[in-house]
Amino acid sequence: MNNQLYYGDNLDILRDHIDDESVDLIYLDPPFNSNRNYNVLFRDESGDESEAQITAFEDTWHWGATAEETYHDLQVNAPSGVDTAIEAMMTLLGRNQMTAYLVMMTARLVELHRVLKPTGSLYLHCDPTASHYLKIMLDAIFGPTMFRNEIIWRRTGSHNTRRSYGPIHDVILYYTKSNDYTFNVVRRPYMKKHVESRYTLDETTGKYKFTSGGNILTGAGATNGDSGKTWRGFDPSAKNRHWAIPGYLAKQMPTEFENLGVLEKLEALYQKGLVEIKKGNAWPTPVRYLSDSDGQPLQDIWAYQPYTEGIVHGTEEGIDQDVAWLGTTAPERLGYPTQKPTSLLERIISASSKEGDVVLDPFCGCGTAISAAQKLGRKWIGIDVTYLSISLQKYRLKDEFDLSSGTDYDIIGVPTTLDAAKALATDSDNDGRYQFQFWALSLVDAKPLGGTTGSRKGKKGSDKGIDGTINFYDGDAKKYAKVIVQVKSGKVKSGDIRDLVGTVEREKATIGVFITLEKATRDMEKEAVSAGYHESSFWQQKYPKIQILTIEDLLDEREIDMPPAYLSHKQAQRIMNMPKQEKLL
C-alpha cells in the first residue's frame, strides 16, 4: 500500500476506508484538556446555559447531540460488554465533558480494535485525568487479559501547584489484540556503576568481560549422548547433569558452529576464549563480553532524569535522555501544542512492529508518529480533522525526508477542485476560513504560523501578516533565507500587495507570496511587478520579489518561482560547484 494521510473525522474514515485487520500498530494521542478544572469537567451539561459556557473548551468533545447519538449507537451496536461498560460510566458520572470524551473515544476504540491485526498492538497516550476510565473501556473492548502495561512517561521538568504534587507525567496504555503479538525487546545501556561492579576490562581484547562463575554450561539431568560425556576432565553425568551451551555464546561463533557436536562446540568455545577453566573452579565457566546491544530491557517508567549525564555506560547522555520532553526551544518543535518527541514514538514503533508493518495514528496532529514510522521503514496511515495538521505534516515530510504528496504518499479528503476550495472557505460551521488557510499553505509546502498554540480547530492568533514561511539556502549570503506566504479567501485589493511588501521588508525576507482564492486585480499585479526582483548569482537566476498565485494556479500545479526549498547546507555546498544547467536540474 502507499502511505496515506486522511483529512476528516477519524470515526468516519475508519469505518469507510480502513479494512478489517489491516494495521499492525496503532498509536493515538487524542486531544484532551487536562488543565480544565475538575468541577467543569464533571459538571452536568444539560441545558442551553451549560452549552454556552463550554464553547471555549475546544481541546476535547462536550456533551451535545453528537455525543448523545453516539451513546445510543454504542448501546445498540457495540460489542457485548462495551455497551454495559459505557452505561456504567454514564450512571457513575452523568452527562458531562468527561463522559462525552469517553463516549466519543469508545466509538473510535471499537473501530481501532476492528482494523488491528490479530498480532497487532495499540498504545493510547493520555493523562491521569482520564486514564483510569479509558482503561476500563479498553478492558471492555480488548479484554482484561490483553492489557500489557501502563507506561509512565515524564512529560515535563516540573509543575508548580499549591495544593497537590506537581503533575509531570502522562500515561500510555498498552494493549494487544491477542496473545500472539509482535514485541521486540528494546534495551537501554547499563549504568556505569553496574558495569564497573560486574565487569572487568580485558586488556588483551579491550572489551569488558563478565565471568558468571556459576554452573551455567550444564543443565539438570544426565544424558547418554555427547552432552553427557567427559570434556577436559569434567564429567557432568557424575553430578547428574549434562552439557548445555548458552545461546549468547553460540551467537558469537561462525555459522558452521551449529554443525559441530556438543564436545566439539565446547572445544571451539574454549579455543576462542569464550569458556575458561580456572584452577579451583568446580566447572568450566562461560565468558561474556559486554556488547553494544547489551543493556537493561525497557521497564514501564520512561523518565528522563536531568543532570544524570555521564553516569550511563558508553554514552554521555543522562538516564532516558532519548525520550526527554521537548523544551520550549527544542529544534524539533513545530509550534504544535501537544507535540511529542520523535524518539518516544521510535521506542514504541521499534518494540511493537517490524520493518514494513503498517502504523496507524488516528489523531496524528503534527505527524510525530508518521515521522518515526517513516524513519524506521514502516508503512503508515495518518488521520486528522484539521488542515493545520495536514499542512504541518506535508511540511515535515518534505523537510525531513523530501517526500511529496501524490508521489510518495496519498492525501485523501482534501479539495481537488476550485469549487471544493470555495466550499471549504465558506464552511462557517468548521472554521472554514482558517481551515482554507492551512490547506492553501500545504499546497506550497509552507510551514504554517499562527494558531498552532490554540485549539484543535487550528484558529489563528496574531500572525503579523505572516501565515506561513518557506526556507531556502541563499548561496550568495551563505545562509538560509525566508519566503513569506499570505493567504486570502475573500475579496482582495492592491493594498493587500502593498501590505505584503511592507511585511517582507520588516521581516527581512527575500520573497513574498500572496495566495488568493479570488482572481488578482490588474492593480495588484502592477504592485507586485513594481517590487522588482531578487537576483541570485548562486542560482544564476532572478526571482520576482512579490508573487501572486491563485488557488486555481496551484491546483494546476503552478509553483512558486524560487530557489529549491529545504536544501541542507551540505547539499547546497555541493550544488555550488555545479555548472548552471546542472544546478537548475
Side-chain angles (χ1 to χ4, degrees), residues 537-541 571-585:
S537 59
F538 177 75
W539 294 106
Q540 301 177 33
Q541 276 189 271
Q571 289 172 325
Q573 292 298 321
R574 287 197 297 268
I575 291 173
M576 285 182 73
N577 299 319
M578 292 180 179
K580 177 180 178 181
Q581 292 304 315
E582 289 187 36
K583 282 184 185 180
L584 299 179
L585 290 173

Side-chain angles (χ1 to χ4, degrees), residues 280-296:
N281 285 356
W283 293 97
T285 55
V287 175
R288 184 166 190 167
Y289 291 101
L290 186 65
S291 71
D292 293 339
S293 60
D294 288 335
Q296 177 71 36

Side-chain angles (χ1 to χ4, degrees), residues 326-333:
L326 292 176
T328 54
T329 60
E332 189 179 329
R333 274 207 176 275

Side-chain angles (χ1 to χ4, degrees), residues 396-426:
R396 189 169 187 175
L397 290 167
K398 183 70 176 178
D399 185 46
E400 294 181 4
F401 306 105
D402 197 26
L403 300 183
S404 299
S405 60
T407 303
D408 301 300
Y409 62 94
D410 300 324
I411 297 183
I412 302 160
V414 300
T416 56
T417 66
L418 187 59
D419 287 342
K422 290 179 178 178
L424 172 63
T426 56

Side-chain angles (χ1 to χ4, degrees), residues 24 31 36 45 93 318 331 438 458 572:
D24 297 282
R36 292 286 283 180
E45 290 187 10
L93 302 174
F438 294 121

